[in-house]
Amino acid sequence: MLISVLLPVKDASATVPEALAGVLAQRDAPPLEVVCVDDASVDATPALLAKASRQDARVRVVRGEGRGLVAALNLGLSRCRGELIARMDADDRVHPDRLRLQAELLLHEPAVGAAGSLVRCFPTPLSRGLLRLERWLNQTLSKEQCRNGRFIEAPLVHPSATFRREALEGGWQDHGWAEDWDLLLRMVERGWELAKVPQALLEWRDSPGRLTRTGAAYSEDAMFRLRAHYLARGPLRDREFDLWGAGPTGKRLARALETHGLRPRAFYDVDGKKRLARGRPVLGQADLPAREDGLMLCAVGADGAREEIRALLESQAYWEGKHFLFAA
């Protein structure tokens, strides 16, 4: 078995040597190659990659045309020869046992199309929002948790994931929203499971210039459009639903769903003062519908809200993934 590590690079001369060194120092992993896609860098990146390929035959350099991340990923995928495709970013740090552990998980779990891991974000201190995301990512481990949480955020951090080649059918696609989350949602649609090695195998770098902070495809509006797109053709297809959350987050999701011709029967909220939201009644816990009667979508942005709503619904014998889903 060969693992192809797919590593797109754009002007990353300050960090790519460390990222490459970590991949090449993997312990007891299956044979590997590193496919570096240089997406028209103008700094010292091309020279550094050329040097690395001369020093280690496992490093292969592909020249991109500067057409962006999605094009670079698909170009690199076309050059990968492995049965497993491991993603890595040029500014992150990898644990020396990552590829071995993820290959073992995929070997023993044939239904899993992508194996991720826990992550540690750096440098510290982390912002409150990133700390909350890191905590959620590292609590979302099992196949069931990843499946149930797939509309909250992308359950796997992309550069932490190793994929089966056959699970990457259709490659990465540019729909104006996050290409990594889009891929994971398409995989689940096709019946693949997602799971994680319960160890921190990636140090995930945060920086002001990170694409997820600066790119329009990663804006909040784009993320709500993505959620609505896959909810409409998945869990909400031919199914009535209600929406827990009559505040700003719930209303944003409702607006995105309306573009697909979908409107909740009612909103639910703990705030008894709310009466209407987007023309629908706002009801309370006492008015919860029978659990088999449609789907309860939950979209509340406040920290700790998911835990409170989950406890409340489970106390009424609702099952997450069957009777309710979180989408924020």
Side-chain angles (χ1 to χ4, degrees):
M1 177 173 61
L2 177 69
I3 300 180
S4 296
V5 179
L6 177 51
L7 197 161
V9 190
K10 175 77 171 181
D11 295 333
S13 60
T15 58
V16 72
E18 184 179 25
L20 260 178
V23 172
L24 295 171
Q26 290 293 292
R27 295 187 296 218
D28 301 321
L32 66 89
E33 64 175 2
V34 188
V35 178
C36 302
V37 183
D38 176 19
D39 199 30
S41 296
V42 296
D43 65 356
T45 295
L48 290 170
L49 295 180
K51 180 180 178 182
S53 68
R54 289 193 301 269
Q55 293 177 339
D56 194 317
R58 295 176 295 173
V59 178
R60 298 166 54 217
V61 181
V62 180
R63 304 298 179 191
E65 299 177 351
R67 295 193 292 120
L69 180 58
V70 171
L73 287 170
N74 287 322
L75 175 61
L77 180 61
S78 73
R79 305 294 179 87
C80 289
R81 298 175 295 195
E83 298 97 318
L84 300 181
I85 312 296
R87 275 284 285 110
M88 180 67 185
D89 279 348
D91 59 350
D92 294 332
R93 300 169 181 163
V94 64
H95 190 283
D97 294 322
R98 173 192 161 182
L99 295 183
R100 175 181 63 82
L101 292 171
Q102 290 180 332
E104 289 174 355
L105 188 156
L106 291 168
L107 178 65
H108 292 103
E109 295 272 7
V112 173
S117 74
L118 308 189
V119 298
R120 289 199 184 97
C121 299
F122 77 103
T124 56
L126 306 180
S127 68
R128 183 177 178 182
L130 187 56
L131 189 62
R132 181 185 180 193
L133 175 61
E134 181 189 67
R135 183 172 64 246
W136 178 79
L137 286 166
N138 290 343
Q139 292 171 346
T140 305
L141 292 172
S142 69
K143 292 178 287 188
E144 182 181 25
Q145 288 172 325
C146 289
R147 190 185 327 114
N148 289 343
R150 68 191 187 276
F151 296 107
I152 298 173
E153 297 277 355
L156 307 186
V157 171
H158 214 48
S160 79
T162 296
F163 300 84
R164 297 184 193 276
R165 177 179 282 278
E166 57 267 35
L168 289 172
E169 179 184 343
W172 288 268
Q173 299 178 7
D174 186 355
H175 297 291
W177 51 58
E179 80 295 329
D180 51 354
W181 195 357
D182 177 87
L183 172 64
L184 297 178
L185 290 172
R186 283 188 285 117
M187 286 175 58
V188 175
E189 274 191 344
R190 295 198 304 271
W192 290 106
E193 298 279 10
L194 312 172
K196 294 178 184 175
V197 175
Q199 296 180 39
L201 303 179
L202 183 83
E203 292 185 52
W204 192 29
R205 187 187 302 269
D206 183 43
S207 67
R210 196 178 76 189
L211 191 58
T212 51
R213 290 192 179 278
T214 61
Y218 305 93
S219 68
E220 281 293 314
D221 282 345
M223 298 308 191
F224 277 102
R225 287 191 286 108
L226 178 151
R227 292 182 179 103
H229 176 82
Y230 284 102
L231 283 165
R233 69 186 214 178
L236 297 184
R237 186 174 182 179
D238 302 321
R239 189 176 185 185
E240 292 189 316
F241 71 102
D242 299 291
L243 211 161
W244 189 291
T249 303
K251 289 176 182 177
R252 288 181 79 174
L253 180 61
R255 282 196 298 272
L257 288 168
E258 286 167 13
T259 67
H260 297 271
L262 298 175
R263 299 188 71 197
R265 296 174 300 188
F267 286 79
Y268 287 78
D269 204 277
V270 294
D271 186 349
K273 297 178 182 179
K274 297 175 182 176
R275 293 289 180 263
L276 283 175
R278 302 199 64 77
R280 293 296 200 241
V282 179
L283 308 176
Q285 178 183 353
D287 304 303
L288 280 174
R291 65 178 188 173
E292 302 292 347
D293 183 20
L295 180 72
M296 180 67 75
L297 269 185
C298 307
V300 179
D303 196 6
R306 281 196 296 269
E307 292 75 12
E308 293 179 12
I309 295 167
R310 181 180 288 113
L312 188 156
L313 291 175
E314 288 179 345
S315 75
Q316 302 299 310
Y318 279 60
W319 297 350
E320 189 170 0
K322 183 177 182 181
H323 307 120
F324 72 97
L325 277 173
F326 287 96

